[in-house]
Amino acid sequence: MTIGAGTDEGAQEAWRAVRDDSDIQFEPLPPPEMPETPAWLRAIAEFLAEIFAPLAHAFVGAWPVLQWVLVAVGVILLVLLIARILGVPLARLHGKAPKDEPDLVPDREEAQSLLSDADALAAQGRYGEAVRLLLARSIRQIAHRRPDLVQPSSTARELSRIEALPEAARRAFSAIARAVERALFALEDLSERDWHEARAAYADFALEGR
């Protein structure tokens, strides 16, 4: 019992010594005073409240109608997005065919003349020259009918992405572009198979397209 009492007394004295130490803060600190809002800032807030309060009331009142307008706009945007992904021309969505669109398919005689000249090169094993001839003259044919689509710097790969061109034309330019790029940048000699693929793509556009 004596040991326990001595221990309790020692603890109490130690506690009082700590409490009496003026260097230790035991009382809670008062909260810091909030800085006063500047007058200019209060003036701006009041000005904005006067402007936007009527707009907020009007928005709340018009919300029953506005929500359906937003839904309709969302549906229209969704339809346009799906049409763009699927490659459907916008004119087709309205049930109208484009007016005054020039026929981009070359004349049969013109196309056959080009294929004849290219075939002559291919018959000599000059497949790269034959493919480049297809590329140059087919671009010239498109430029003659739609000069707004073809710029002097236009490449076959760029033309293959122009939505105004028929799908067969884009496929033709894409096939020819792959072959020409391999020949130019990979320094590969084009094979007979490369030539036949490019020729078939052009013929599908220029001849079968009619």
Side-chain angles (χ1 to χ4, degrees):
M1 298 296 293
T2 303
I3 294 176
T7 302
D8 291 341
E9 184 178 352
Q12 293 176 3
E13 290 179 356
W15 171 248
R16 283 195 296 271
V18 172
R19 291 287 298 181
D20 293 340
D21 190 346
S22 60
D23 293 333
I24 301 177
Q25 176 69 40
F26 288 96
E27 298 296 331
L29 296 175
E33 295 183 1
M34 297 297 294
E36 183 178 356
T37 304
W40 64 268
L41 186 56
R42 291 198 304 272
I44 292 177
E46 293 172 358
F47 174 74
L48 294 177
E50 291 179 359
I51 291 178
F52 291 106
L55 296 178
H57 290 302
F59 180 82
V60 172
W63 176 247
V65 176
L66 184 60
Q67 63 178 340
W68 293 111
V69 173
L70 295 177
V71 169
V73 171
V75 171
I76 293 173
L77 293 177
L78 180 61
V79 170
L80 293 177
L81 176 62
I82 294 175
R84 183 169 183 82
I85 293 174
L86 298 179
V88 179
L90 295 181
R92 189 180 301 175
L93 296 178
H94 296 284
K96 299 178 181 179
K99 296 181 179 180
D100 301 327
E101 282 286 337
D103 186 3
L104 298 181
V105 180
D107 296 334
R108 177 172 292 273
E109 293 78 9
E110 186 179 1
Q112 288 177 336
S113 174
L114 171 55
L115 289 175
S116 177
D117 293 342
D119 284 336
L121 293 173
Q124 303 173 31
R126 299 158 63 182
Y127 303 117
E129 295 181 45
V131 172
R132 287 192 292 273
L133 179 64
L134 280 184
L135 175 63
R137 285 174 56 177
S138 59
I139 290 178
R140 191 186 311 162
Q141 290 169 354
I142 295 295
H144 178 71
R145 291 164 172 78
R146 285 293 301 272
D148 57 307
L149 295 181
V150 182
Q151 304 299 324
S153 60
S154 296
T155 64
R157 185 171 293 275
E158 291 172 343
L159 292 174
S160 67
R161 300 192 185 103
I162 297 179
E163 295 183 358
L165 292 179
E167 176 63 25
R170 294 201 299 271
R171 285 198 305 268
F173 284 122
S174 180
I176 297 172
R178 287 195 302 269
V180 171
E181 286 175 355
R182 281 184 26 238
L184 291 178
F185 301 114
L187 302 179
E188 295 182 8
D189 292 331
L190 297 184
S191 64
E192 185 177 2
R193 178 180 178 181
D194 297 324
W195 154 246
H196 283 302
E197 289 179 354
R199 187 190 192 285
Y202 176 80
D204 180 60
F205 157 60
L207 299 179
E208 301 301 326
R210 293 195 175 277

